[in-house]
Amino acid sequence: MSVALTLEGVHTHIGRYHILQGVDLDAPAGLTTMLLGRNGAGKTTTLRTIMGLWRASKGRIALGATPLQNLVASDVARLGVGYAPETMALFSDLSVKENLMLGARARPLDDARLAWIFGFFPVLKKFWLSRAGVLSGGQKQMLSIARAIVEPRELLLIDEPTKGLSPAIVGALIACLNEIKATGVTILMVEQNFRVAREVGDEVCIMDNGRIVHRGGMAELAVDDTLQNRLLGLSLDAHQ
């Protein structure tokens, strides 16, 4: 059974900066929710706060019935939360294999799961024993995503996964994410590529100035140019 993610009145301060200012967000169980907004709106901070990398100063975060707001990142991960950060956060001196072993935590790598991942990202098999530091930017992005999905998760937090990827690899990523979604995983994803947002997203939340300013279906947003321009300052059709 998949589980929903809920944020209620979440505030996050980073130093003297008040980044999240009362975020209310629902990511329904088993669906992909896109988190969109202009640069600096608070999207990455939201993911990092959910993951426990930054501590919420106020509010409630829950995965199903389990509160997350006071947990550190390692405890959040143990609850079945995978995270693919925008920065990729790979260990450059470790091999592709070793990076994925860390993603699997204490468990051995599952050969069937790896074969499934290699079907989408064959380059990772090619560079299996190579240091992550020698990979190209796009290849590192693939490895970061693979590490987040190297074992089944209850929730995936994914921050701009298509950055640095070629159109062909973006297509493979869309197929990969849709297959993951079909297994019932709850996904919250930040993305600037609106082709991906439209093809992968079920629900959408739009952020501005540290708050959610719109919630609804991704399909409805994708066909409403007026709403896109009002909330995002652009049209999805202009950013394929």
Side-chain angles (χ1 to χ4, degrees):
M1 293 291 291
S2 55
V3 291
L5 171 72
T6 304
L7 281 70
E8 297 176 350
V10 172
H11 292 251
T12 299
H13 291 76
I14 301 173
R16 61 189 179 90
Y17 297 103
H18 189 181
I19 308 297
L20 302 187
Q21 302 185 24
V23 172
D24 296 307
L25 182 152
D26 292 301
L31 299 182
T32 297
T33 299
M34 305 305 302
L35 185 58
L36 307 181
R38 298 177 177 88
N39 289 337
K43 305 181 300 295
T44 292
T45 299
T46 299
L47 297 192
R48 290 180 64 87
T49 301
I50 295 165
M51 195 66 211
L53 295 165
W54 285 328
R55 181 65 58 88
S57 49
K58 185 179 178 182
R60 176 177 177 270
I61 306 170
L63 183 62
T66 305
L68 302 183
Q69 67 270 11
N70 294 319
L71 300 182
V72 297
S74 57
D75 290 333
V76 174
R78 289 188 190 97
L79 292 172
V81 180
Y83 178 46
E86 180 185 9
T87 58
M88 296 176 278
L90 300 173
F91 293 91
S92 296
D93 290 334
L94 299 184
S95 67
V96 167
K97 176 183 178 180
E98 289 166 334
N99 270 276
L100 290 181
M101 288 173 66
L102 290 174
R105 302 192 298 272
R107 307 177 190 179
L109 293 172
D110 180 82
D111 288 340
R113 186 83 173 179
L114 286 176
W116 175 71
I117 290 172
F118 292 153
F120 296 108
F121 306 129
V123 72
L124 299 182
K125 184 175 184 179
K126 177 181 178 181
F127 290 104
W128 187 235
L129 298 178
S130 300
R131 290 191 309 108
V134 307
L135 301 178
S136 70
Q139 291 164 351
K140 288 176 181 176
Q141 191 68 273
M142 292 180 228
L143 178 54
S144 176
I145 295 162
R147 185 177 60 184
I149 63 172
V150 72
E151 62 182 16
R153 311 291 191 191
E154 297 283 349
L155 170 68
L156 281 175
L157 305 173
I158 308 177
D159 197 353
E160 295 205 36
T162 66
K163 181 182 288 186
L165 300 185
S166 70
I169 298 301
V170 169
L173 177 62
I174 289 171
C176 177
L177 290 170
N178 280 326
E179 280 206 24
I180 293 169
K181 182 169 67 174
T183 68
V185 178
T186 305
I187 301 173
L188 179 62
M189 185 163 78
V190 172
E191 183 52 74
Q192 298 291 348
N193 183 321
F194 293 106
R195 171 197 169 198
V196 177
R198 179 162 49 195
E199 295 192 29
V200 174
D202 299 300
E203 303 292 314
V204 61
C205 292
I206 297 179
M207 292 196 78
D208 193 28
N209 293 323
R211 293 184 176 90
I212 302 297
V213 296
H214 172 81
R215 302 176 190 82
M218 188 65 224
E220 288 77 14
L221 178 65
V223 297
D224 192 334
D225 288 343
T226 301
L227 188 61
Q228 293 165 26
N229 278 287
R230 180 167 64 83
L231 294 171
L232 296 167
L234 46 80
S235 168
L236 298 188
D237 288 334
H239 291 71
Q240 299 285 329

